[in-house]
Amino acid sequence: MADEAPLRGVRREEIRVIIKLLPVFRRYLRDRRKARNRPEGEWDPKLEANARKAVKAFIELGPTFIKLGQIISARPDLMPNEYMVPFQDLQDRVDPAPFPEVEKVLKESLGDKYSLLQDFNREAISGASLGQVYTAKFSGRDVAVKVVRPGVERLLRRDLAVLKRLLRLARKRMENFLYLSISNVVEDFSYRVFDEVDYLKEASNMERIAHNIDGREKVVIPSVVRDLTTKDVLTMDLISGIKITDVQGLKDAGIDLKSLAYRLDLIFIRMLLKDDIFHADPHPGNVSVTNEGKIILYDFGMVGTLDAGTKFDLLSLYMGMLESDPDVIIDALLDMNALSPAANRGVIRKSIEMTMAGLRGVRMETREMQEILEIANNVIFEFPFRLPRSLVLYMRMSSLLEGICRQLDPDFRFIAVLSQILYREGELQQLYAFQLSRFAKKAVQSIEKGLDVLPLLKRRLENQEEPQKNMADRRTPAAVFMGFVFLASVYVLSLNLVYGVLMASADLAGFAALMLSR
């Protein structure tokens, strides 16, 4: 009987989730088909209304679905544009759990050390789907204590089990590509969400990012109190400030809003391009400003990483957009493994050109990030893309970031700032060198593959029996083979020479661009 109780719980939960999600899912499939078959750039208010109904259902279903909805909000390959905006507005605000339940977690997790927290305020200063934050004192200093929501891991496992089962049941109702894409999202979410409720990992994220930006940025990151930090409890210095979207409060403090927007954007772009980890969740609740104008960052549960290759592919993608070059955009997407090699390049190119045609006459530097993402959304939604998790987090980060910067400075342009960063900080020089290096490697690999075929060709030629030909004729296959080897060798040597010249030229060009930008 004990083994049957959890099963009964899952079945009851399935009924509740089905009642909430089934109409949402049906409307989504219908809206998705409608969006794919409509004229380019058309906006349908009915689809947006359906999206808002979906967001409401996710909120009612609780913490698991709120967090999942936030991840979906950065998946233009899954949803029409009308769904993107409502899901991006999905806030992670949930009433905190009753304090007696929270105190039980504190005592079980900290043991006798719980008594070291003095003047503990039982009213949470913030409540989210996975945890809540309280204030207290430790050794005479003010601290913030983040506590995991009681029973959240059990809740996550139950909801994820239900979600996966429902997804399997719905498989026949959707195309195979869509099923695989949604399955990948759920699997990735299943892995990532448990990192967010492991506060030892969040503490490490805070310390890594603080170390990376130390001395480079005017940023404040709370210090972790390691003695009072466990998997379920994170204790850190309490650092208060003016909320980043409190425009009037910032003005009253005498802070230059245009400069603040630029500095905020610079912090996150540098994190993305220069460091091994970046903060992926800069929503307004996670960013404040001191009275002296320093930026404070909170909540390091959602972080991302980009390897060197993906960083340069991302820069290539931006360069393609800046230059309105569809081929550069497609190449970058292929290199990032975001676009399936089986996709029809000609059709995708035409789609990109049609999307960009609507923006003709507008300089790319003056376009907003949302417009750039719309180009990506229109293309990604139409074709078999498979967005890597790192890019999903990046898209979420950049979208949230631009929203904040635009509130601070209505004239803020993400692309213009990015262009300045690329030129001033030498990123373009590295991009050119990386592109040439990749080109040379691909060319050499192609030649090597060609050379691998030559022994087979040699054996084939030598095994051919031609009784009618004389001995002189029989020497022809060997001569042909040696000719292939000679020409291939000359080609490889020439390629290496050209590569060396190109690399030197790239260094000079990058250096010149860097000097001119100054």
Side-chain angles (χ1 to χ4, degrees):
M1 293 296 290
D3 293 335
E4 294 177 6
L7 186 59
R8 287 201 301 271
V10 169
R11 286 174 176 168
R12 287 196 299 269
E13 183 62 17
E14 280 183 346
I15 295 172
R16 187 176 78 90
V17 173
I18 286 173
I19 292 173
K20 288 287 184 184
L21 281 189
L22 190 56
V24 170
F25 184 69
R26 284 176 172 170
R27 286 192 294 265
Y28 161 72
L29 290 181
R30 185 175 63 249
D31 290 346
R32 192 173 191 275
R33 286 192 295 268
K34 185 177 180 180
R36 296 187 72 175
N37 296 322
R38 69 184 174 188
E40 187 75 29
E42 184 179 296
W43 187 274
D44 190 336
K46 290 184 179 179
L47 269 64
E48 183 178 356
N50 288 340
R52 297 200 179 280
K53 291 177 182 176
V55 168
K56 182 180 178 182
F58 274 51
I59 292 172
E60 292 173 352
L61 285 169
T64 306
F65 292 89
I66 291 173
K67 298 302 294 185
L68 179 60
Q70 291 179 327
I71 297 301
I72 293 174
S73 72
R75 292 301 301 252
D77 55 326
L78 297 181
M79 296 194 295
N81 282 331
E82 291 90 342
Y83 273 66
M84 298 294 290
V85 175
F87 271 88
Q88 287 172 351
D89 291 339
L90 182 60
Q91 295 295 311
D92 190 13
R93 290 197 297 264
V94 180
D95 290 338
F99 186 75
E101 296 178 19
V102 174
E103 188 171 41
K104 184 178 179 181
V105 174
L106 285 163
K107 290 180 177 179
E108 289 177 353
S109 186
L110 296 177
D112 294 339
K113 291 182 180 180
Y114 174 53
S115 62
L116 298 177
L117 291 169
Q118 303 296 317
D119 299 332
F120 201 103
N121 186 348
R122 295 185 168 216
E123 295 294 325
I125 59 174
S126 71
S129 59
L130 302 181
Q132 48 259 315
V133 181
Y134 301 85
T135 60
K137 286 186 178 295
F138 170 67
S139 297
R141 63 179 180 176
D142 293 329
V143 294
V145 184
K146 188 174 181 179
V147 187
V148 74
R149 180 172 287 273
V152 72
E153 285 200 39
R154 179 187 58 79
L155 179 67
L156 288 171
R157 294 185 193 283
R158 186 195 66 186
D159 286 346
L160 288 169
V162 172
L163 192 59
K164 290 176 182 178
R165 184 176 300 182
L166 292 177
L167 187 58
R168 288 194 298 270
L169 292 174
R171 180 169 188 171
K172 294 181 180 180
R173 292 178 171 268
M174 63 182 90
E175 57 192 347
N176 190 55
F177 165 70
L178 180 60
Y179 170 78
L180 292 175
S181 296
I182 296 177
S183 295
N184 288 338
V185 170
V186 173
E187 284 300 325
D188 179 71
F189 174 73
S190 301
Y191 169 79
R192 183 191 56 76
V193 72
F194 290 102
D195 283 348
E196 290 195 47
V197 293
D198 185 342
Y199 290 157
L200 288 174
K201 290 185 178 180
E202 182 173 347
S204 296
N205 294 339
M206 292 174 66
E207 291 169 341
R208 283 175 65 189
I209 291 177
H211 173 76
N212 287 341
I213 66 177
D214 183 37
R216 187 181 74 200
E217 317 285 0
K218 292 183 178 180
V219 178
V220 179
I221 294 178
S223 297
V224 177
V225 181
R226 279 287 180 178
D227 286 344
L228 294 176
T229 295
T230 66
K231 182 179 179 296
D232 297 327
V233 178
L234 172 58
T235 306
M236 68 200 98
D237 285 338
L238 176 63
I239 303 177
S240 301
I242 307 166
K243 191 174 180 179
I244 191 69
T245 50
D246 182 2
V247 173
Q248 189 57 52
L250 293 169
K251 287 180 178 178
D252 293 343
I255 295 170
D256 185 333
L257 299 187
K258 286 184 178 289
S259 173
L260 179 62
Y262 178 82
R263 288 190 290 117
L264 180 65
D265 189 61
L266 189 62
I267 287 166
F268 278 86
I269 293 300
R270 280 177 172 164
M271 232 190 289
L272 180 79
L273 296 178
K274 295 181 179 294
D275 299 334
D276 58 347
I277 186 174
F278 65 90
H279 190 304
D281 194 22
H283 70 72
N286 289 341
V287 186
S288 292
V289 183
T290 68
N291 289 325
E292 296 76 29
K294 290 185 177 181
I295 294 170
I296 311 168
L297 298 182
Y298 309 109
D299 198 342
F300 295 78
M302 189 182 295
V303 297
T305 58
L306 293 179
D307 58 50
T310 303
K311 288 180 183 179
F312 287 114
D313 291 334
L314 195 57
L315 290 179
S316 296
L317 182 62
Y318 276 121
M319 292 302 294
M321 290 179 172
L322 285 168
E323 297 169 3
S324 297
D325 189 330
D327 289 313
V328 173
I329 293 173
I330 294 171
D331 288 341
L333 291 171
L334 284 168
D335 288 334
M336 287 188 287
N337 291 321
L339 174 61
S340 170
N344 188 315
R345 186 183 182 102
V347 175
I348 294 176
R349 192 181 196 283
K350 184 176 180 181
S351 179
I352 295 174
E353 288 175 340
M354 290 176 62
T355 304
M356 287 183 166
L359 300 173
R360 294 258 188 247
V362 182
R363 292 176 61 234
M364 182 61 77
E365 292 84 355
T366 66
R367 297 173 187 163
E368 299 179 22
M369 186 63 189
Q370 287 296 336
E371 292 175 324
I372 302 303
L373 287 178
E374 186 173 346
I375 294 175
N377 290 357
N378 289 337
V379 177
I380 289 173
F381 184 65
E382 289 290 332
F383 299 100
F385 278 70
R386 44 170 188 255
L387 287 180
R389 174 179 177 256
S390 56
L391 289 183
V392 172
L393 291 177
Y394 162 73
M395 292 173 72
R396 172 179 168 78
M397 181 270 280
S398 59
S399 181
L400 289 171
L401 189 61
E402 188 191 37
I404 293 176
C405 291
R406 291 278 292 167
Q407 283 186 264
L408 297 173
D409 176 14
D411 296 324
F412 180 86
R413 293 294 183 269
F414 179 89
I415 296 299
V417 174
L418 178 64
S419 300
Q420 293 176 27
I421 294 171
L422 295 182
Y423 279 105
R424 290 180 181 176
E425 305 205 0
E427 296 295 334
L428 280 184
Q429 180 187 10
Q430 296 183 45
L431 173 61
Y432 296 146
F434 184 83
Q435 287 174 329
L436 288 170
S437 174
R438 175 178 281 173
F439 166 77
K441 287 178 180 177
K442 286 183 177 178
V444 170
Q445 287 172 356
S446 297
I447 295 300
E448 289 175 343
K449 288 179 181 178
L451 290 174
D452 288 341
V453 176
L454 291 180
L456 300 177
L457 176 63
K458 177 176 178 291
R459 284 197 296 272
R460 172 64 177 167
L461 292 172
E462 288 179 343
N463 289 336
Q464 286 181 348
E465 293 191 11
E466 304 177 65
Q468 293 84 4
K469 292 190 176 183
N470 56 29
M471 293 300 295
D473 293 331
R474 287 191 169 189
R475 289 194 295 268
T476 301
V480 172
F481 172 73
M482 292 307 297
F484 272 118
V485 173
F486 175 75
L487 290 175
S489 301
V490 170
Y491 185 78
V492 171
L493 289 172
S494 301
L495 184 62
N496 287 332
L497 177 60
V498 171
Y499 172 58
V501 173
L502 288 174
M503 290 297 290
S505 300
D507 289 340
L508 289 173
F511 179 74
L514 187 60
M515 292 297 102
L516 288 172
S517 67
R518 293 179 178 176

